[in-house]
């Protein structure tokens, strides 16, 4: 399978160069997408995307194109870097392109997008902050009627608001399982969401959402991007705003500005088991399964080495895994191991090896 994927990626790189060359040689740019669409029997909208991506890869993102050449990534993964760097200048895009070298192999499209956005926030913090302000002005709710007496409700909301809403719906839905309940978790989430919107459900305890922010950023000494668990980078101004609002559902997690390690959880816990569980969730931020971004505060705390087999209940042996990947541990052929550095190693039934380690909130400053 992997050989076939590499071959497909290399063929996509050839096509990218061909499309870029055709666009460069065309005397009238307005007809390029139309001719590409006719040649490849695709829509003009898709052809426009192909032309724009080919031009970006060949002129602004040489390292990403090289990764496509070698089969490290495919065109869809490359598009995540193209989209993330779209608002940047050529110089800034080149810096993100260089920073992504070594961060691509073995990552799924969602992980690559988040890594690219994180680099954009570091390289262009002012632009990232301003784009965040503008996007919040575009919040909206849309109703799209579908077939078979169903409709889709789309809410375009600030990340912290949407994260808190989903967390609350998910938590309530999970409490309703069992006791003869026949609805699936997805059905329960949909029903709980509708009940909350229509006022048919009484108030529930607020759901906490974690935002990781450097101590220096919180104090206003710098503008390092913060990290919203399950979402990714958010501008420093937003992190400071959320951390100081008295009605906020977010928990601020203050980190060391040099190492990115946790300094403060925002309040004290006195029961050791609860404190340890909270520490692990804050450290991991998300499910530790490579490529999974479910927030750790909505995940299980797992003994990497099973407790029943002598595994210790310690930070070095505990990881946050979402319920789906927690259950994967008991499937024959899957093996999980955590080494002394905190890296989680996952071996699949076919013998392939994958690993994950919580990324630092920000890079250490140069000295």
């Amino acid at each position: 399978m992997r050989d076939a994927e590499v071959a497909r990626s290399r063929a996509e790189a050839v096509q990218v160069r061909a499309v870029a060359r055709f666009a460069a040689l065309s005397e009238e740019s307005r007809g390029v997408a139309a001719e590409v669409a006719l040649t490849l029997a695709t829509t003009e909208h898709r052809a426009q995307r192909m032309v724009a991506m080919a031009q970006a890869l060949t002129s602004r993102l040489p390292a990403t194109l090289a990764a496509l050449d070698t089969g490290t990534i495919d065109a869809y993964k490359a598009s995540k870097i193209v989209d993330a760097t779209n608002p940047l200048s050529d110089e800034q895009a080149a810096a993100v392109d260089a920073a992504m070298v070594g961060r691509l192999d073995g990552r799924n499209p969602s992980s690559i997008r988040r890594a690219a956005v994180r680099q954009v926030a570091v390289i262009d913090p002012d632009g990232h902050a301003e784009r965040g302000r503008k996007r919040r002005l575009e919040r909206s709710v849309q109703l799209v009627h579908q077939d078979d007496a169903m409709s889709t409700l789309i809410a375009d909301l600030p990340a912290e608001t949407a994260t808190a809403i989903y967390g609350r719906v998910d938590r309530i839905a999970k409490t309703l399982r069992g006791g003869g309940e026949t609805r699936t978790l997805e059905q329960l989430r949909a029903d709980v969401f509708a009940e909350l919107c229509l006022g048919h459900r009484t108030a529930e305890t607020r759901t906490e959402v974690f935002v990781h922010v450097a101590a220096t950023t919180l104090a206003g000494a710098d503008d390092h991007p913060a990290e919203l668990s399950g979402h990714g980078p958010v501008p420093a101004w937003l992190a400071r705003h959320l951390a100081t609002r008295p009605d906020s559902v977010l928990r601020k997690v203050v980190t060391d500005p040099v190492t990115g390690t946790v300094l403060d959880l925002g309040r004290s816990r006195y029961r050791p088991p609860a404190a340890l569980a909270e520490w692990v969730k804050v450290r991991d931020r998300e499910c530790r399964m490579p490529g999974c971004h479910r927030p750790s505060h909505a995940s299980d705390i797992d003994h990497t080495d099973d407790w029943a087999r002598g595994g210790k209940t310690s930070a070095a042996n505990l990881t946050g895994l979402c319920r789906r990947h927690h259950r994967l541990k008991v499937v024959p052929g899957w093996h999980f191991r955590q080494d002394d550095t905190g890296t989680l190693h996952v071996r699949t039934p076919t013998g392939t090896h994958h690993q994950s380690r919580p990324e630092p909130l920000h890079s250490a400053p140069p000295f």
Side-chain angles (χ1 to χ4, degrees):
M1 287 190 295
R2 179 57 185 160
D3 290 344
E5 181 72 8
V6 169
R8 182 173 70 88
S9 297
R10 288 174 173 170
E12 288 173 333
V14 172
Q15 186 181 61
V16 161
R17 286 192 168 87
V19 171
R21 179 166 176 75
F22 175 73
L25 294 176
S26 298
E27 296 181 359
E28 179 52 69
S29 61
R30 289 177 296 181
V32 171
E35 187 161 358
V36 170
L38 290 171
T39 302
L40 301 181
T42 188
T43 65
E44 284 198 31
H45 179 266
R46 180 170 180 268
Q48 288 172 348
R49 287 270 301 168
M50 292 177 66
V51 172
M53 178 170 162
Q55 291 173 326
L57 287 171
T58 55
S59 64
R60 287 160 48 100
L61 305 169
T64 303
L65 180 56
L68 187 61
D69 272 325
T70 60
T72 303
I73 59 173
D74 59 20
Y76 182 61
K77 292 178 180 179
S79 74
K80 300 302 178 181
I81 302 175
V82 171
D83 291 344
T85 55
N86 219 19
L88 304 183
S89 68
D90 289 349
E91 183 180 358
Q92 291 169 332
V96 173
D97 185 50
M100 290 298 293
V101 173
R103 301 173 185 265
L104 300 175
D105 193 23
R107 290 199 175 197
N108 64 26
S110 177
S111 296
I112 289 175
R113 179 191 65 80
R114 289 162 62 91
V117 170
R118 189 174 290 113
Q119 292 303 318
V120 168
V122 170
I123 289 167
D124 182 29
D126 293 340
H128 180 247
E130 183 58 28
R131 289 189 291 272
R133 289 189 179 94
K134 289 181 178 178
R135 284 287 283 118
R136 294 167 83 83
L137 298 177
E138 300 171 4
R139 57 193 183 277
S140 64
V141 176
Q142 300 175 51
L143 176 63
V144 181
H145 292 295
Q146 308 286 4
D147 296 332
D148 303 319
M150 292 291 285
S151 295
T152 300
L153 194 62
I154 303 172
D156 199 9
L157 300 170
E160 74 279 3
T161 302
T163 301
I165 290 172
Y166 183 85
R168 185 182 187 191
V169 169
D170 182 62
R171 181 178 54 79
I172 297 173
K174 287 178 178 177
T175 65
L176 299 177
R177 291 187 299 180
E181 176 60 65
T182 60
R183 289 174 292 179
T184 66
L185 184 56
E186 289 296 332
Q187 291 170 338
L188 285 168
R189 289 193 188 109
D191 293 346
V192 168
F193 178 75
E195 291 168 2
L196 288 171
C197 288
L198 296 173
H200 297 166
R201 177 170 287 276
T202 57
E204 305 279 346
T205 304
R206 292 192 308 172
T207 299
E208 290 183 334
V209 179
F210 290 80
V211 58
H212 297 245
V213 56
T216 49
T217 303
L218 193 62
D222 58 50
D223 287 320
H224 288 309
E227 187 92 4
L228 183 65
S229 291
H231 171 77
V234 295
W237 68 263
L238 178 57
R240 286 192 287 266
H241 172 68
L242 296 173
T244 55
R245 280 178 52 183
D247 61 338
S248 178
V249 297
L250 276 83
R251 288 279 304 283
K252 66 177 184 293
V253 180
V254 183
T255 62
D256 185 288
V258 175
T259 65
T261 56
V262 176
L263 297 178
D264 178 31
L265 302 181
R267 66 184 180 199
S268 297
R269 296 280 187 168
Y270 296 100
R271 294 177 59 193
L276 179 58
E278 183 175 41
W279 184 267
V280 171
K281 289 181 177 182
V282 168
R283 178 200 66 193
D284 290 352
R285 298 208 299 269
E286 298 172 343
C287 171
R288 289 288 301 280
M289 185 71 171
C292 183
H293 301 296
R294 187 166 180 80
S296 60
H297 59 266
S299 301
D300 298 336
I301 297 297
D302 172 61
H303 287 75
T304 306
D305 294 329
D306 290 343
W307 182 81
R309 299 181 179 178
K312 295 181 179 180
T313 304
S314 65
N317 189 46
L318 296 176
T319 53
L321 291 174
C322 70
R323 184 60 55 86
R324 177 185 301 175
H325 292 127
H326 192 179
R327 289 173 173 167
L328 196 63
K329 280 192 64 181
V330 300
V331 176
W334 287 87
H335 298 278
F336 290 65
R337 178 180 64 84
Q338 192 170 181
D339 64 25
D340 294 339
T341 69
T343 300
L344 180 67
H345 300 265
V346 180
R347 191 171 79 247
T348 72
T350 59
T352 59
H353 175 263
H354 306 270
Q355 62 185 40
S356 77
R357 182 177 174 83
E359 291 193 30
L361 181 62
H362 43 73
S363 302
F367 292 102

